[in-house]
Amino acid sequence: MTDRPPASSLAGTPDRRTLLGALAAGCAVAAFRPGAGRAQRAGLDTVRRRARGFDQMRALVVARDGEILLAEAFRGPPVDRPVNVKSVSKTIVASLVGAAIDRGVLDGVDSTFAAVAPSLVPPDADPRVRRITIADLLTMQAGLERTSGPNYGRWVQSSNWVAHALSRPFVAEPGDGMLYSTGSYHLLGAALARATGRSLLDLARDWLGGPLGIGIAPWTRDPQGFYMGGNNMALSPLAMVRFGETWRAGGVWNGARVLSRDWIEASWTPRTTSVFSGDDYGYGWFLTRAGGHDVAYARGYGGQMIYVVPGAGLTVAVTSDSTQSARSEGYAGDLKAMLAEDIIPALAAA
């Protein structure tokens, strides 16, 4: 399935590279809207030049009020080609948790993992495991030793990813602070699969892919067959924007309800803080300020980003070289600066 917006939604100042990239992606490139002024044209040119200067960046898509103003692949695949979005997958899984609650499949975030998927709890697990709630997993506050960072390799090489994650020693009490861990989101994905009797892939296609008109391909599975929760999903930059736009619009895409407004509000409520970036974290979204606006963003290793700026009507998707790191004080910080200094000022009031 091609992640192609309707031609009428595209606008920009196409240079040769933008035009060729869009044509390769199967996207139409419309002439700049008559109502747009020189200031906006200049602003987009500034954004484009700054983006081109990042060797790590692969593609950038900027939409305002549902209209794509810039869609360019600077290096690598065209903007409708799915790429590994790494931990942006966590935000997708958090959305699926919300969809499950909206449908009554899960009672709510206060339900415990053990109540939702009792057979997945190892018999010899620490008794505190049975206190871990869906909210604890969504905010990565399970208290268990992390399965990310230096522990990631050992985790994915284990014979049972769920059991391994639940058998880590407690380094904090459940709910006592964010411990960034892909294992927490893998547990969420496994819980959804058990609660519904369907694979995470099937749920993603049914509850998000179908309504948004985006393709979702199979990705990594663990030895027990559970699709990985929290990493290695593939989305195109255009699909990332479509997903972000659904959140910006309060859970609605093309007039159809995809996620409840209650879930959007709950997810964008600060619940803990990242020790790495210092930004707040809700349910699957980092929360910060940039350019005088509140920003919710999904973040994946290497600089895979979805920024949603509701007050400015903006959604921005970035894909990057996933083999290089993107630290908050490095490339990820540069991307945030571009958002704050160039994108928001150029487009928020235009």
Side-chain angles (χ1 to χ4, degrees):
M1 183 181 297
T2 300
D3 305 322
R4 182 188 305 177
S8 62
S9 74
L10 292 171
T13 309
D15 61 13
R16 181 174 180 274
R17 187 168 177 79
T18 304
L19 180 61
L20 291 176
L23 288 174
C27 299
V29 179
F32 207 88
R33 291 177 297 124
R38 291 182 179 178
Q40 184 174 326
R41 291 173 184 255
L44 284 170
D45 285 341
T46 298
V47 171
R48 187 180 288 109
R49 284 195 300 271
R50 187 163 183 172
R52 281 179 180 155
F54 297 132
D55 291 340
Q56 199 163 331
M57 183 177 286
R58 293 296 176 260
L60 173 67
V61 180
V62 180
R64 191 192 62 208
D65 295 331
E67 191 171 33
I68 293 179
L69 301 178
L70 174 64
E72 184 163 353
F74 301 97
R75 304 164 191 85
V79 293
D80 75 337
R81 184 82 54 81
V83 297
N84 190 337
V85 294
K86 308 303 273 187
S87 285
V88 169
S89 306
K90 291 178 174 64
T91 312
I92 303 296
V93 171
S95 300
L96 295 175
V97 171
I101 293 172
D102 292 343
R103 287 164 171 76
V105 175
L106 295 178
D107 290 336
V109 297
D110 292 330
S111 299
T112 63
F113 175 86
V116 175
S119 64
L120 295 183
V121 178
D124 58 349
D126 186 304
R128 286 173 287 183
V129 164
R130 297 188 176 276
R131 290 167 35 200
I132 295 172
T133 65
I134 298 300
D136 292 333
L137 297 174
L138 284 165
T139 56
M140 290 184 278
Q141 296 187 91
L144 295 162
E145 179 186 74
R146 301 191 314 129
T147 58
S148 292
N151 301 324
Y152 183 83
R154 184 159 51 100
W155 173 55
V156 296
Q157 291 167 10
S158 69
S159 61
N160 188 318
W161 295 4
V162 170
H164 184 95
L166 291 172
S167 299
R168 297 304 83 212
F170 277 86
V171 295
E173 292 300 307
D176 274 1
M178 186 178 184
L179 295 164
Y180 189 93
S181 181
T182 298
S184 287
Y185 270 82
H186 189 63
L187 293 174
L188 285 171
L192 285 172
R194 280 298 168 88
T196 61
R198 303 166 65 186
S199 73
L200 196 61
L201 171 63
D202 189 27
L203 297 177
R205 286 174 166 173
D206 186 14
W207 294 349
L208 292 177
L212 300 184
I214 61 177
I216 299 177
W219 69 99
T220 309
R221 287 195 285 179
D222 73 6
Q224 283 64 49
F226 290 116
Y227 280 93
M228 189 177 209
N231 200 10
N232 289 345
M233 294 182 72
L235 295 173
S236 73
L238 290 177
M240 293 164 72
V241 160
R242 196 170 287 196
F243 172 76
E245 274 293 293
T246 301
W247 278 80
R248 187 191 64 79
V252 173
W253 174 257
N254 274 352
R257 173 68 56 189
V258 180
L259 295 167
S260 69
R261 185 172 292 277
D262 286 346
W263 186 250
I264 306 293
E265 293 175 356
S267 298
W268 285 354
T269 298
R271 300 179 185 279
T272 187
T273 302
S274 168
V275 298
F276 300 114
S277 68
D279 289 338
D280 290 331
Y281 194 74
Y283 293 154
W285 290 90
F286 291 95
L287 307 167
T288 190
R289 294 273 298 174
H293 290 271
D294 291 330
V295 178
Y297 68 97
R299 177 175 178 175
Y301 184 84
Q304 326 311 319
M305 315 290 283
I306 302 174
Y307 297 102
V308 182
V309 193
L314 293 173
T315 299
V316 179
V318 177
T319 58
S320 306
D321 182 350
S322 62
T323 67
Q324 300 184 51
S325 66
R327 298 186 181 278
S328 297
E329 66 275 14
Y331 175 58
D334 293 338
L335 293 177
K336 182 179 179 181
M338 179 178 68
L339 178 72
E341 298 168 6
D342 293 331
I343 297 176
I344 292 175
L347 302 176

